[in-house]
Amino acid sequence: MERSVVIGGGIAGVQAVTVLSKEGKVALITNEPCLPYYRMRIEEIIQGKNTEELYIHPQSWYDERGIEIIHANAERIDTEKKDIVLSDGNTVPYDTAVIATGSEARSFPIPGRDKNIYVLRKASDAEKLREALSTADSFAVIGGGLLGLELASSVAEHMKITVSVIETAPYILPRQLDEASASLLQAKLSEKGVSVVTAAKTLKADAEYLYLEDGRKIKAAVIAFSVGVNPGIEIAKASGIETDKGIIIDEYMKTSADSVYAAGDAVEYNGRLFGLAMHAREMGTAAADSILGNGKPYVPSEPSALLKVAGIDVISLGSVTGDTEVITDDGVKRTTLFVKDGIITGAVIINDKASMMKIKAMIGTRR
C-alpha cells in the first residue's frame, strides 16, 4: 500500500489527508506542538480560549482514519530517495508527498520600537499577544484587512483598552468592499470602540505612541501587524522544486518534482497566489484526487469572504471592481453589485446573509 505524506497542518493539509486516508496510508507533518486548528479563528485565543477549542478535529478522528500525526520541522525533500528530511536529522519516507506549508505573516521594522510588536499567524503568536495586552492600555493594528479588523474588534469587545487600526489605503478592505460599504463598516467599528485611521503610513514609534508620516500620532503600547503574508516556499526551494512567488504547480497540483504535489497558500498557479480558506480546501482535495488517480484540472472558485465584525455581517463575492449598482439599501441591509461590460462580476452584501446564494447565482450573468 502506498504512503502519502502531507507537510503542513493548515486547511489544505488536513483536507488532503482527509481524502487520501480513504484509500491508503497517510501521515501529516506539522511544525506545531498541537493538532491542526482553524488559523482564521486564532483571535479567539486572545479572548481567552485554549488552542484545543480551535482544533479542526480531535486526536480520535485521526486515529480512526489511520492518519499519523508527526510533530516535527520538515527542512527539505530528498526527491531522489523519496525522503522528507526533518530538522533533527530523521527522515520520513513517502511514495507521494504534498507540500501544504501555508504562509508566513509579513512585518517591517518600526524605528524607535523593538518590543511589544507582534504578528498573528500561529496559536503561539496569539498567546504572546494576549499576555502583552493583559497589561496594556492601548493597542494598534497596522493593516485594515480581514484579520486585522477581526482582531481589533475582538480586542475592543473583550478588553477595556484603546484600539486603533492603521490602513494605508483610502478605506478599509479595499480588495473586498466598495468605498460606501467600507464607510458603513468603519462607522460600526467606531461605535464598538475601534478607531480607524486611513490613508496612513507608519513613520516611527516610541514606548507609548505610533507616529504617522502626516504628523498624526496614535496611542499604541502594543502593536500588531496584519499586512498580508508571504507563501511558505522554503522547503520547496531547499528541495530544488521550482518556485517563483509561490511553489509552481500545474492544473493537477503537481510540482516540478516527480510524485510531489502542493496546495494552499504556498502555491502559485498560472501566476496567481491564493490566500483564502476556500481555495486551500479546494486545492487540498484536488491534490489528493490527483494522487489517487481521480484528478481533474483545477478551476479556482470565485473568491468570497464573510466577515462578522462590530455586529455587522459583511459578505464579499467575486470581483469588486467596475461600475457599482446599489440594489438594496434600507439603512440596515445594503447590497451592491459590481458590473463590468454588462456582466455582474461581484457583490458586497451587508446584513443580509439570507440573500447570499441568490446574489451569488447572479455573478457571471448579464445585468
Side-chain angles (χ1 to χ4, degrees):
M1 182 180 291
E2 287 202 346
R3 186 190 201 204
S4 296
V5 179
V6 177
I7 306 171
I11 286 179
V14 172
Q15 188 65 24
V17 297
T18 300
V19 178
L20 290 167
S21 65
K22 297 174 183 178
E23 297 191 32
K25 296 176 64 178
V26 186
L28 184 147
I29 300 174
T30 172
N31 62 1
E32 296 190 69
C34 54
L35 292 176
Y37 55 89
Y38 288 109
R39 203 173 299 275
M40 70 284 288
R41 291 176 51 197
I42 55 176
E43 82 278 356
E44 295 177 25
I45 295 174
I46 297 169
Q47 299 170 12
K49 286 190 176 182
N50 297 318
T51 305
E52 289 81 1
E53 296 178 77
L54 275 57
Y55 281 175
I56 298 174
H57 301 295
Q59 181 65 54
S60 59
W61 185 91
Y62 299 97
D63 293 341
E64 290 166 3
R65 289 158 180 77
I67 300 170
E68 180 186 4
I69 302 292
I70 301 172
H71 297 281
N73 183 43
E75 288 195 340
R76 64 183 179 87
I77 302 172
D78 187 328
T79 56
E80 291 188 4
K81 294 182 178 179
K82 287 195 169 183
D83 280 333
I84 296 168
V85 182
L86 307 180
S87 58
D88 61 7
N90 290 320
T91 59
V92 179
Y94 69 89
D95 294 298
T96 55
V98 180
I99 305 174
T101 43
S103 53
E104 296 293 329
R106 292 177 187 156
S107 64
F108 53 82
I110 302 176
R113 176 79 74 92
D114 59 3
K115 61 181 180 179
N116 279 339
I117 301 176
Y118 301 86
V119 296
L120 191 63
R121 192 64 183 164
K122 297 181 179 180
S124 57
D125 297 329
E127 291 167 357
K128 293 174 185 176
L129 181 55
R130 179 175 64 189
E131 183 178 354
L133 289 170
S134 67
T135 57
D137 65 350
S138 53
F139 177 51
V141 180
I142 299 177
L146 288 169
L147 181 59
L149 293 179
E150 289 178 332
L151 171 60
S153 178
S154 177
V155 171
E157 182 179 356
H158 292 87
M159 299 180 180
K160 302 302 180 184
I161 64 176
T162 301
V163 180
S164 304
V165 172
I166 315 301
E167 171 57 52
T168 58
Y171 58 90
I172 54 177
L173 297 175
R175 293 183 179 179
Q176 290 87 10
L177 303 181
D178 59 295
E179 189 168 0
S181 299
S183 179
L184 176 59
L185 179 57
Q186 182 171 328
K188 289 290 185 181
L189 284 164
S190 180
E191 292 175 7
K192 298 294 183 178
V194 178
S195 174
V196 177
V197 183
T198 56
K201 292 186 178 180
T202 301
L203 177 64
K204 61 181 181 178
D206 57 26
E208 189 175 357
Y209 289 97
L210 183 65
Y211 297 88
L212 306 181
E213 287 186 356
D214 60 9
R216 289 177 288 180
K217 69 177 184 178
I218 309 298
K219 197 165 179 57
V222 176
I223 297 171
F225 282 101
S226 182
V227 291
V229 295
N230 293 318
I233 63 175
E234 291 77 13
I235 290 174
K237 290 177 70 174
S239 308
I241 295 171
E242 185 181 2
T243 64
D244 189 9
K245 294 176 290 186
I247 303 169
I248 305 298
I249 57 169
D250 67 10
E251 65 269 32
Y252 294 99
M253 304 288 122
K254 293 180 180 178
T255 69
S256 61
D258 182 47
S259 301
V260 179
Y261 299 73
D265 290 4
V267 309
E268 178 181 345
Y269 176 52
N270 286 339
R272 176 182 172 186
L273 298 174
F274 300 80
L276 294 176
M278 59 180 293
H279 292 132
R281 189 172 289 107
E282 290 175 354
M283 286 190 277
T285 298
D289 284 344
S290 292
I291 289 171
L292 297 176
N294 307 319
K296 298 178 182 178
Y298 176 59
V299 179
S301 295
E302 284 294 329
S304 65
L306 172 60
L307 174 70
K308 187 174 184 66
V309 61
I312 185 171
D313 289 312
V314 182
I315 300 170
S316 177
L317 303 171
S319 172
V320 293
T321 59
D323 298 326
T324 60
E325 180 182 344
V326 178
I327 61 172
T328 303
D329 189 357
D330 61 6
V332 178
K333 298 177 182 179
R334 178 186 175 92
T335 298
T336 304
L337 299 181
F338 294 82
V339 183
K340 187 173 183 179
D341 298 328
I343 302 297
I344 299 171
T345 60
V348 172
I349 307 167
I350 294 179
N351 279 337
D352 192 9
K353 291 173 68 174
S355 70
M356 174 177 160
M357 297 311 296
K358 174 186 174 183
I359 300 298
K360 192 172 186 178
M362 296 170 64
I363 296 175
T365 64
R366 183 164 293 279
R367 182 65 179 137

